[in-house]
């Protein structure tokens, strides 16, 4: 256990120390009280990030288990830097800078010195962010189930029908566009075009990463059973991208889509961007550790429905993000619990499935 989570624990201690120092030295009433407040909020944000992203770890593991050691290390080193500093700190600043027509340093100064105004400007473009992230995640969900070769089904009555629909060309894009159009029809007229374009970009980025991976990776490798690498024993697809630079980009965009929800939710708890970054960074690090743990322990093979549960959670998150862009508010704790509930349900169902197979065997 310490092999997989030891560094994350050390990283957590360092982040909490920085959080304590920041709370003790900053603010009009800086002192022990603000230090304790900072530590508490940092811990809450870390737990929230893990609960929101546990399904992300499962999907990451389904992709990562087909990688060689080099790309796994890139994911754990360069990937975590991008996830922590890029997606949780720099990317929100870029969004504000572009949408508010401000310079990067001006936005950084506003984030540190006037965090309330910074959060207001970021939240003002929540609909566009939700459209991009929701469309991308919806395609992740759809392409897992819209697979004509997939014959391992959890909810057979639904998944068998979705597998049949996979024979219709571009069905996943069709359904994602319908979801986007429904969302766009329910936002204010002034932001409708921006929201629609953001959602289309989410779809374009998803397909673009697939194209990139195909160009860089070539034809899929076939194992001894005749299945493409990245498929389980039944031939069911376990991920969209499997290895190389294209896979790395896919995981980072996937993480970005998950981080949108975490960043927006964090501002409902605090407007201090330093505390937000520290709390979400701790959560992101533990998600990375959980990913490697799942890969090396073979958890996805032991629990046959775990990927199904993760993708149902992703589908729920995608719909929640699209709905939130229209003004529907779903508390972050509910979003996190939905993901955890699907994962736990999938584990229980997998155990029951294994027991049935043992009795039959």
């Amino acid at each position: 256990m310490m092999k997989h989570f030891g560094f994350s624990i050390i990283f957590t201690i360092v982040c909490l120390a920085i959080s304590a120092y920041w709370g003790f030295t900053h603010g009009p009433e800086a002192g022990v009280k603000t230090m304790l407040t900072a530590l508490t909020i940092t811990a809450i944000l870390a737990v929230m990030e893990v609960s929101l992203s546990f399904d992300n770890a499962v999907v990451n593991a389904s992709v990562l288990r087909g990688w060689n050691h080099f790309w796994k290390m890139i994911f754990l080193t360069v990937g975590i830097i991008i996830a922590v500093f890029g997606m949780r700190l720099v990317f929100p600043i870029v969004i504000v800078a572009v949408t508010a027509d401000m310079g990067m340093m001006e936005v950084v100064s506003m984030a540190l010195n006037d965090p309330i105004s910074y959060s207001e400007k970021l939240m003002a473009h929540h609909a566009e962010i939700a459209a991009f992230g929701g469309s991308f995640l919806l395609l992740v969900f759809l392409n897992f189930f819209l697979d004509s070769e997939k014959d391992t089904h959890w909810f057979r009555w639904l998944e068998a029908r979705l597998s049949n629909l996979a024979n219709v060309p571009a069905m996943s894009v069709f359904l994602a566009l319908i979801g986007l159009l429904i969302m766009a029809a329910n936002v204010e007229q002034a932001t409708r075009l921006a929201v629609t374009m953001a959602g289309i970009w989410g779809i374009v980025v998803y397909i673009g990463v697939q194209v990139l991976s195909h160009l860089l990776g070539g034809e899929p490798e076939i194992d001894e059973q005749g299945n493409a690498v990245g498929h389980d024993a039944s031939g069911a697809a376990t991920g969209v991208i499997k290895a190389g630079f294209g896979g790395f980009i896919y995981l980072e965009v996937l993480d970005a889509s998950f981080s949108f929800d975490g960043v927006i939710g964090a501002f409902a708890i605090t407007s201090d961007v330093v505390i937000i970054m520290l709390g979400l960074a701790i959560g992101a690090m533990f998600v990375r550790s959980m990913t490697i743990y799942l890969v090396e322990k073979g958890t996805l093979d032991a629990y046959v429905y775990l990927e199904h549960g993760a993708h149902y959670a992703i589908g729920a998150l995608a719909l929640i993000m699209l709905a939130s862009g229209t003004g529907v508010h779903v508390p972050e704790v509910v979003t996190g619990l939905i993901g955890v509930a699907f994962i736990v349900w999938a584990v229980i169902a997998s155990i029951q499935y294994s027991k049935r197979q043992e009795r039959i065997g």
Side-chain angles (χ1 to χ4, degrees), residues 1 23 32 50 54 68 71 78 87 95 135-136 138 142 162 171 187 190 204 224 226 234 242 244 257 275 329 341 357:
M1 185 69 70
V32 175
V50 172
F54 190 84
N68 59 31
W71 282 107
V78 178
M87 300 307 176
I95 291 176
S135 297
F136 185 92
L138 190 56
L142 290 171
L162 290 176
M171 175 55 69
V187 299
V204 168
E224 295 178 355
S234 65
K242 290 299 167 187
S257 300
I275 298 300
H329 176 67
Q357 294 301 109

Side-chain angles (χ1 to χ4, degrees), residues 112-160:
L112 293 175
N113 301 313
D114 189 7
I116 295 178
S117 297
Y118 170 76
S119 63
E120 288 176 350
K121 289 185 178 296
L122 182 62
M123 294 293 285
H125 297 279
H126 172 63
E128 294 98 302
I129 296 171
F132 178 94
S135 297
F136 185 92
L137 292 178
L138 190 56
L139 281 175
V140 173
F141 164 77
L142 290 171
N143 277 297
F144 179 78
F145 293 105
L146 292 173
D147 181 356
S148 59
E149 296 182 355
K150 182 178 179 298
D151 54 15
T152 299
H153 302 311
W154 183 12
F155 301 113
R156 179 169 293 276
W157 58 272
L158 172 63
E159 295 174 25

Side-chain angles (χ1 to χ4, degrees), residues 278-342:
L278 291 171
L280 298 185
I282 293 172
M285 182 62 75
F286 270 97
V287 169
R288 286 297 194 276
S289 296
M290 283 190 292
T291 297
I292 298 301
Y293 179 84
L294 293 173
V295 171
E296 296 188 354
K297 293 296 182 179
T299 306
L300 298 182
D301 296 323
Y303 299 98
V304 295
Y305 298 136
L306 188 57
E307 283 184 81
H308 295 68
H311 281 85
Y312 278 119
I314 287 175
L317 176 60
L319 295 178
I320 288 172
M321 290 187 73
L322 292 176
S324 69
T326 66
V328 177
H329 176 67
V330 179
E332 285 69 31
V333 65
V334 174
T335 305
L337 287 176
I338 289 174
V340 172
F342 271 117

Side-chain angles (χ1 to χ4, degrees), residues 131-132 180 192-202:
F132 178 94
L180 176 61
R192 187 165 295 166
L193 177 60
V195 167
T196 303
M197 288 303 298
I200 290 175
W201 270 112

